[in-house]
Amino acid sequence: MSNRYESIFITTPLLTEDQTKEVVDKFKDLLNSHESKIVNEENWGLRKLAYPIKKKSTGFYHLLEFEANPELIAKLEVEYKRDERILRFLTVKLDKYAQVYADRRRKGEVGKKPKAFSEKEKEEENV
């Protein structure tokens, strides 16, 4: 049975752009080699960490949203732990509400004000 997961990992800020891309590709290849489907991928860029990790105060954030079998998550997390370029990671299973929210966020619908009704639409609702 396949579930949808979201995995966020932070790479060390000492990597070049090519090295960062190589790290991301490594984990994408791992997911693709185990018959999972990557739904969304985002590079959040360099961000300040809430507290120093391995004497680093910044890191590159990456998000991978994918569908996979639960057995793959343990393998993915072992690979995160083995890779010294990864400062931190978190993988969570998305429930149906989180999936809807993730879909809306991807479409840019989250954080927008609701559409204002025109006078004509207000009149139609009152009828």
Side-chain angles (χ1 to χ4, degrees):
M1 184 178 140
S2 182
N3 296 318
R4 190 180 296 183
Y5 297 93
E6 187 175 86
S7 183
I8 297 175
F9 58 94
I10 306 170
T11 59
T12 179
L14 303 177
L15 300 176
T16 64
E17 188 174 324
D18 290 338
Q19 291 170 327
T20 303
K21 187 175 186 298
E22 179 186 313
V23 172
V24 173
D25 289 342
K26 173 186 170 185
F27 292 108
K28 284 171 49 179
D29 291 342
L30 176 74
L31 292 171
N32 289 330
S33 68
H34 287 82
E35 299 177 3
S36 66
K37 178 184 171 192
I38 296 176
V39 177
N40 186 28
E41 174 191 352
E42 294 178 19
N43 179 1
W44 293 354
L46 186 66
R47 291 182 174 213
K48 186 175 179 184
L49 303 174
Y51 53 88
I53 301 171
K54 296 179 183 175
K55 299 183 180 180
K56 309 284 188 299
S57 59
T58 58
F60 289 102
Y61 282 67
H62 303 277
L63 175 137
L64 291 175
E65 187 179 332
F66 56 95
E67 294 176 1
N69 289 324
E71 299 84 26
L72 177 60
I73 303 306
K75 291 178 185 174
L76 178 67
E77 292 189 343
V78 166
E79 288 301 317
Y80 281 146
K81 289 177 185 173
R82 286 182 178 163
D83 196 327
E84 62 187 19
R85 299 170 292 187
I86 303 295
L87 296 176
R88 284 287 190 272
F89 63 90
L90 179 67
T91 303
V92 295
K93 178 182 170 186
L94 299 178
D95 62 9
K96 64 181 180 181
Y97 303 108
Q99 289 181 24
V100 170
Y101 178 81
D103 292 339
R104 288 184 58 222
R105 185 176 58 82
R106 204 174 320 118
K107 293 176 184 172
E109 297 174 354
V110 174
K112 286 186 176 179
K113 290 182 178 179
K115 180 183 168 188
F117 289 106
S118 67
E119 291 299 321
K120 185 179 179 182
E121 290 172 330
K122 286 180 184 177
E123 290 174 10
E124 290 175 359
E125 285 216 7
N126 290 334
V127 175

